[in-house]
Amino acid sequence: MYATVIVDIANGAVDRGFCYRVPEGLTVALGQHVLVPFGQGSHVKEGFVIELSESSNLPKGVLPKDILSCLEPYPVLLPEQLSLANWMKEAYHCLLVDALRLMIPAQLRGGRIHEKRERIVALSEEAPAFSSKSAIQKDVVALLQKTGQPMAVKDIKAFIPGAAPAVAALLKKGILSEDRFTVYRKPSYGKVTDLKPELTEEQAKVLRDFTQLPGGETALLYGVTGSGKTEVYLRCIEACLNEGKGAIVLVPEIALTPQTVGRFSARFGDKIAVLHSRLTAGERFDEWRRIRLGKAPIVIGARSAIFAPVEHLGLVIIDEEHEQSYQSESTPRYHAMDVARRRIRQQNGRLLLGSATPSLLSYYRAINGSYRLLELQHRVENRPLPSVLIADMREEFLSGNNGIFSSTLLSRLKSTLDNGHQAMLFLNRRGYSTFVSCRACGYVLCCDNCDISMTYHKAQNAVRCHYCGAKKPLPRECPNCHKPFIKQFGVGTEQVEEQINACFPEVKTLRMDADTVTKKEAYEQILSAFSRGEAQILIGTQMIAKGHDFPNVTLVGVIAADTTLNFPDYRSAERTFQLLTQVSGRAGRDKMPGQVILQTYLPEHPVLKFAQRQDYPSFFQYEIAQRKKSLYPPFSLFIRLLLTGKDEEELQLRGKAYAMELEQALYAALTEEGKDDLLLLLAAPAPIARIQGQSRYQILVKLLRTKRLPAALHAVYDFETAHRDDGYLKIETNPQDMF
Ligand code: ADP
Ligand code: ZN
């Protein structure tokens, strides 16, 4: 018997299978984690068995080396995971080993984590003959008689301090017998009471439609906030379990709170396993093993849980499917949704994407028929959607209010607090201070070539376009209304809190942003303090947009609803709509109706109007038309090649040479017929031209999405391979941002 083994070394030169002999007496299966001698010096390396065969594929006369041993008694990789890794290698142009590493706990490699075994003792057949002068020995025997079953030694020690020598003595006398068994270290799942409600008609229809979907297919569940999507997920999982299959549920990392997990655990108990970044290494390993060994057929986790070793995978659910966190930002740069689609096709399972604000791409696919569109249009028990008011900050300014808060927001805050309710104030700080606009007319300074807002650079007191590099000084007056009120914005959560404390001195506030949440527990602490009512107002960045449910929150204020709208990115409208809908959904989750106030300098902007009505379908129609007009995704694909290096001049020269070479390669791949598919190839210093002493240069490629796209992508990947060892290059397809 021969095995093809890939060694666990991330290096393109050895990223392939090597032939080994399976020695007599060793049982080796596909996916087994093994030790092998490798290379000239036959150093012992870890590897994975990726193929088994009857014959050696080495040239005649070359004898294969022997596999030394297996590291675990079971294969750590399922056959379908091996094939998934091979697919990833092609699709994301990554090393096979890098893909395989995603599928096992990191500490398994290098033997850094082990099973935890616990000693248990039981009364033996000799026990009735027991007599002793030792009081503590008598206590131990009495305890075991009372419980009537074997006990862990550590539990006995908890009942009877200092019992260890007595247990040892009893074992020696043969009064006790000893055993060892594996224990699973388990994270706490959070507790909620589960009432399993009767489904609404809408929910029942969605469940029916989804469970009747043919295998291998994907459905998009578009459901307004509070429409009961999670209950639908729970029922889909139940149906999947009844078919004897397993399920993976992905939620954004930040939403993986005890509250979320608690809902699943209350329904499915021990059948669930949880994978997220706050687990200890031991917990992660044990949760992974419970999945691998079939004890937990339901996995709930963040992005990388899509690689969990669930056998007979019947269902994948991706909640908040529009979230950016499903895109990995490190190699392999996979998107969890693409991996999920691959897995369910392979296993004939089904994929359910859910959101109140679907990504443009998913909704586009749904109305074009490649996904099945399912809808929940109403909140459960006909609770009303929150009513949304737009506060026009231009008017406020012209009538003499130059503070952060509109008079509308202040008066609503007051009545909310008077009623004993809570409020949330939301400020999207990221990129907040960077755009330039006129406080009198709302005009936003845009690039002449790009139709994208320009970014303020404090050091030069100038504005720049992050897409084409155009630059101009900060104007003294508004080019539109000629008043002198044009300036960059600069308000942070701290300032909001200060002013709230000034307006409402007796009111307790909590603040949550990157400064106050330096540790992961702090996030939980702040949210639970707020939910216990220890403060009346929670002020925060997008971190407060999801996660907990706060039944007592009836008012949500968005300090500057248009900030993300002016973000220099073609996705800014989509992200703004998503954010505003999400934040609005925080208000009035329980029986009391909610109120939302959006403060803005652009009250008639269509995106704000759609957000006010919480009308996703109309927003979609508007935005997809914009994308089509400018040939932005989903009609095209952006690829960014980022070069970094110490020497700026050398980098520029190299960047220009790369751009020329890449352009030729792309034209060759697209052929004469497709030469217009290359919409843009732009080589310029990156928007942030220098980070930590490194110069940055980028080549931005925009390709029309046609049948020739795969060929073009291959050309880009071949280009990357050819230059892999130059030490300059990083390639991102569909980059999340382009700084
Ligand atoms: P979504 O995920 O769409 O925002 P949830 O699933 O969290 O909505 O549901 C909102 C609230 O309604 C939850 O408190 C949930 O327990 C409750 N709920 C869901 N379905 C029903 C139902 N059929 N009957 C009564 N209450 C329900
Ligand atoms: Zn520009």
Side-chain angles (χ1 to χ4, degrees), residues 447-450 465 467-470:
C447 175
D448 299 334
N449 316 322
C450 298
C465 170
Y467 275 66
C468 73

Side-chain angles (χ1 to χ4, degrees), residues 436-454:
V436 173
S437 77
C438 173
R439 299 189 92 185
C441 76
Y443 175 87
V444 173
L445 201 60
C446 281
C447 175
D448 299 334
N449 316 322
C450 298
D451 203 14
I452 267 202
S453 63
M454 295 182 92

Side-chain angles (χ1 to χ4, degrees), residues 27 275 364 381:
T27 317
L275 295 171
Y364 183 68
E381 293 170 344

Side-chain angles (χ1 to χ4, degrees), residues 518-676:
T518 45
K519 289 217 194 78
K520 275 176 180 139
E521 308 85 65
Y523 170 76
E524 270 299 312
Q525 275 163 13
I526 295 174
L527 290 180
S528 49
F530 187 60
S531 93
R532 285 193 303 269
E534 287 170 22
Q536 286 74 58
I537 304 179
L538 175 63
I539 298 157
T541 55
Q542 53 258 63
M543 283 181 182
I544 63 173
K546 42 186 134 349
H548 278 244
D549 256 0
F550 303 109
N552 200 31
V553 169
T554 56
L555 178 71
V556 167
V558 180
I559 303 298
D562 41 48
T563 41
T564 42
L565 216 44
N566 297 309
F567 215 61
D569 191 307
Y570 68 89
R571 287 158 294 201
S572 60
E574 183 178 9
R575 287 181 182 165
T576 303
F577 183 85
Q578 284 164 355
L579 213 57
L580 293 180
T581 310
Q582 208 106 58
V583 187
S584 304
R586 300 281 99 200
R589 298 281 292 183
D590 211 30
K591 310 270 179 312
M592 297 168 288
Q595 167 91 72
V596 179
I597 294 168
L598 307 179
Q599 299 195 147
T600 175
Y601 288 93
L602 301 168
E604 50 303 280
H605 196 290
V607 171
L608 291 177
K609 292 280 179 205
F610 298 131
Q612 180 180 23
R613 299 200 307 263
Q614 296 169 71
D615 180 359
Y616 178 82
S618 302
F619 164 75
F620 174 83
Q621 294 304 341
Y622 161 84
E623 181 61 14
I624 201 81
Q626 305 284 321
R627 300 278 182 97
K628 193 160 193 175
K629 198 177 80 196
S630 310
L631 291 177
Y632 280 139
F635 303 100
S636 63
L637 176 79
F638 276 106
I639 302 166
R640 170 164 99 148
L641 292 80
L642 183 69
L643 285 72
T644 51
K646 279 253 171 291
D647 185 336
E648 190 180 332
E649 238 166 83
E650 188 197 314
L651 199 66
Q652 293 230 6
L653 283 177
R654 191 176 282 272
K656 284 185 185 130
Y658 276 7
M660 256 153 64
E661 186 187 334
L662 181 64
E663 185 170 31
Q664 276 173 9
L666 280 170
Y667 279 135
L670 291 168
T671 69
E672 182 59 26
E673 176 199 11
K675 66 183 186 335
D676 293 337

Side-chain angles (χ1 to χ4, degrees), residues 48-95:
F48 304 99
V49 176
I50 55 174
E51 226 180 283
L52 286 169
S53 66
E54 298 289 325
S55 56
S56 153
N57 60 9
L58 292 175
K60 246 195 154 61
V62 182
L63 280 183
K65 297 174 188 171
D66 277 5
I67 290 181
L68 301 174
S69 62
C70 295
L71 287 159
E72 292 81 15
Y74 50 88
V76 294
L77 295 160
L78 301 170
E80 56 260 39
Q81 289 178 303
L82 290 174
S83 110
L84 185 67
N86 274 309
W87 172 80
M88 288 182 72
K89 180 184 162 122
E90 280 296 307
Y92 299 111
H93 200 241
C94 63
L95 298 180

Side-chain angles (χ1 to χ4, degrees), residues 716-732:
V716 175
Y717 287 152
D718 287 344
F719 176 85
E720 183 184 31
T721 308
H723 294 285
R724 187 172 262 161
D725 299 327
D726 297 2
Y728 288 93
L729 198 60
K730 181 177 143 198
I731 294 200
E732 298 167 328

